[in-house]
DNA sequence: AAGCTACCGATGCCTTTAAA
DNA sequence: TTTAAAGGCATCGGTAGCTT
């Protein structure tokens, strides 16, 4: 390898593929397209004179050299990032800043455990405040600084907001394990024949209603609650059925998960921020930490 | 077992950008 | 102005998983 010509961005490429074992997802994680990532991997392979990752089914398995390189490369990259964060006036390891994050309870379950793990290593004094409010209030909260970031599949944040993709989730229909609706296929007619419990903490409710409107249909909503998790608990103990992001119910006992009878694109869960925070050092640092989580 | 579909990495070709 | 490199779009081909 000739270090004079080495592109340090290739180290980010290497770390992302090693963590995710997937070129496409690694590309999304660092803001490239899949072909650009594939080309970067090719250049990295040429520089290292080693394939670094070999395809094994749907995973990219690291070679012996990749395993040996990962720890020192990750540490070096972390050092560089911390150094630039300090130049910008933010020292993560010494900070006691509070970051206010807008997210649903599913977001909390998926993001917060890993985020806290990362903070324990990098910024033990930094604190998180998870906030909940109606989706319509998100733009104002981010614009005014009441919240730092919003995480979710949020359609209301467009003009004046930046966004970065974090992971995809799918929407599913859930019912208690012995529910009579399971005796038949979950057709649209079957789905509409039952009373529903809906949660208002994310955008699922709005998106399902839009999908049903396209068929000129509507659900009978018997109960509205604020959290997806409560929605799932109620569905597991009643004859109400619900439509939720799959991550909301993973591992929950007493529930059956089914495909929705209407076509729903996957939930593209992203982090959103207002342009007022775009160049602020601590904010940039927190965004990079969240984007680097293996979600 | 065969056929179908979805997923995913690789590649060709083009445009853009920056350096010489 | 030329050239090389990087990134994006479109597409190809291999693999896995599901259905018949």
């Amino acid at each position: 390898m000739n270090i004079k010509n080495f592109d340090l961005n290739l180290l980010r490429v290497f770390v992302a593929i090693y963590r995710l074992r997937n070129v496409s997802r690694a590309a999304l994680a660092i803001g490239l397209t899949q072909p650009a990532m594939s080309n970067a991997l090719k250049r990295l392979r040429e520089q290292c004179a080693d394939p670094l990752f070999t395809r094994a089914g749907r995973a990219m398995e690291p070679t012996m050299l990749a395993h040996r390189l990962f720890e020192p490369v990750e540490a070096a990259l972390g050092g560089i990032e911390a150094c630039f964060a300090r130049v910008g006036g933010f020292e993560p390891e010494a900070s006691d800043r509070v970051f206010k994050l807008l997210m649903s309870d599913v977001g909390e379950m998926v993001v917060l455990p890993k985020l806290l793990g990362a903070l324990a290593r990098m910024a033990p004094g930094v604190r998180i405040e998870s906030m909940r409010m109606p989706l319509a209030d998100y733009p104002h909260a981010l614009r005014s600084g009441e919240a730092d970031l919003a995480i979710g599949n949020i359609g209301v944040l467009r003009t004046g907001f930046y966004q970065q993709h974090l992971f995809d989730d799918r929407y599913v229909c859930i019912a208690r394990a012995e529910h009579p609706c399971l005796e038949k296929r979950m057709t649209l007619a079957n789905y509409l024949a039952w009373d529903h419990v809906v949660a208002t903490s994310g955008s699922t409710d709005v998106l399902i209603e839009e999908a049903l409107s396209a068929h000129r249909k509507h659900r009978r909503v018997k109960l509205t609650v604020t959290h997806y998790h409560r929605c799932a608990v109620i569905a597991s103990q009643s004859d109400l059925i619900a439509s939720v992001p799959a991550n909301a119910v993973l591992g929950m006992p007493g529930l059956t998960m089914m495909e929705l009878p209407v076509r729903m694109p996957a939930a593209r869960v992203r982090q959103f921020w207002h342009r007022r925070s775009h160049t602020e050092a601590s904010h940039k640092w927190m965004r990079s930490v969240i984007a680097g989580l293996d979600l």
Side-chain angles (χ1 to χ4, degrees):
Chain A
M1 178 199 287
N2 182 357
I3 197 72
K4 264 170 68 182
N5 302 324
F6 191 83
D7 177 359
L8 289 178
N9 278 314
L10 294 179
L11 297 183
R12 294 175 67 226
V13 166
F14 172 76
V15 168
I17 299 177
Y18 189 94
R19 281 188 183 142
L20 296 167
R21 301 291 205 270
N22 178 303
V23 173
S24 299
R25 281 198 282 275
L28 273 174
I30 65 173
L32 292 179
T33 61
Q34 179 268 321
M37 196 67 168
S38 186
N39 275 322
L41 177 57
K42 184 180 169 189
R43 295 194 297 279
L44 192 57
R45 284 168 166 163
E46 284 164 1
Q47 287 279 354
C48 297
D50 186 276
L52 294 173
F53 302 94
T54 56
R55 199 165 167 170
R58 288 190 175 173
M60 293 294 273
E61 280 303 317
T63 62
M64 291 293 287
L65 178 65
H67 280 302
R68 284 215 309 276
L69 285 173
F70 177 68
E71 269 196 36
V73 167
E74 188 193 36
L77 213 48
I80 292 167
E81 280 167 2
C83 171
F84 277 92
R86 274 193 292 274
V87 168
F90 180 66
E91 297 183 25
E93 63 273 28
S95 172
D96 62 354
R97 185 184 186 309
V98 179
F99 288 91
K100 296 173 193 163
L101 310 184
L102 283 165
M103 59 175 91
S104 71
D105 56 316
V106 189
E108 288 181 336
M109 287 191 286
V110 175
V111 175
L112 290 187
K114 288 181 177 169
L115 177 57
L116 290 178
L119 293 182
R121 291 192 301 278
M122 302 154 79
V126 164
R127 288 167 290 158
I128 300 295
E129 186 181 323
S130 174
M131 306 168 71
R132 192 125 337 115
M133 61 178 65
L135 285 171
D137 295 341
Y138 276 29
H140 177 259
L142 291 170
R143 211 177 288 125
S144 67
E146 188 185 346
D148 293 300
L149 279 165
I151 296 176
N153 183 22
I154 307 160
V156 294
L157 297 171
R158 292 205 180 90
T159 313
F161 294 95
Y162 291 90
Q163 56 177 276
Q164 182 178 26
H165 178 266
L166 298 175
F167 63 92
D168 285 342
D169 196 0
R170 65 194 176 98
Y171 296 110
V172 294
C173 176
I174 52 168
R176 67 179 172 83
E178 308 294 324
H179 197 289
C181 76
L182 301 172
E183 289 164 15
K184 291 191 277 183
R185 254 173 64 82
M186 185 45 76
T187 57
L188 186 55
N190 192 9
Y191 179 79
L192 297 172
W194 296 93
D195 288 329
H196 290 250
V197 49
V198 305
T200 55
S201 67
S203 54
T204 309
D205 182 36
V206 175
L207 294 170
I208 300 263
E209 274 306 314
E210 282 174 6
L212 289 173
S213 297
H215 294 82
R216 299 180 188 282
K217 305 282 186 196
H218 294 282
R219 295 170 295 181
R220 286 204 312 269
V221 176
K222 187 86 168 177
L223 176 64
T224 302
V225 295
T226 51
H227 294 66
Y228 288 115
H229 192 259
R230 283 179 205 158
C231 199
V233 169
I234 287 162
S236 74
Q237 295 171 18
S238 72
D239 273 352
L240 299 183
I241 65 173
S243 308
V244 294
N247 271 316
V249 291
L250 283 180
M252 275 189 68
L255 276 174
T256 301
M257 227 195 278
M258 294 155 285
E259 291 298 319
L260 284 168
V262 283
R263 275 184 72 83
M264 293 278 294
R268 289 181 58 75
V269 178
R270 291 153 284 174
Q271 56 176 339
F272 297 83
W273 62 98
H274 189 259
R275 56 180 173 225
R276 74 195 293 278
S277 323
H278 190 59
T279 54
E280 200 263 306
S282 65
H283 203 277
K284 280 167 79 174
W285 173 82
M286 176 52 77
R287 292 191 319 253
S288 73
V289 171
I290 292 173
L293 298 175
D294 181 16
L295 298 172

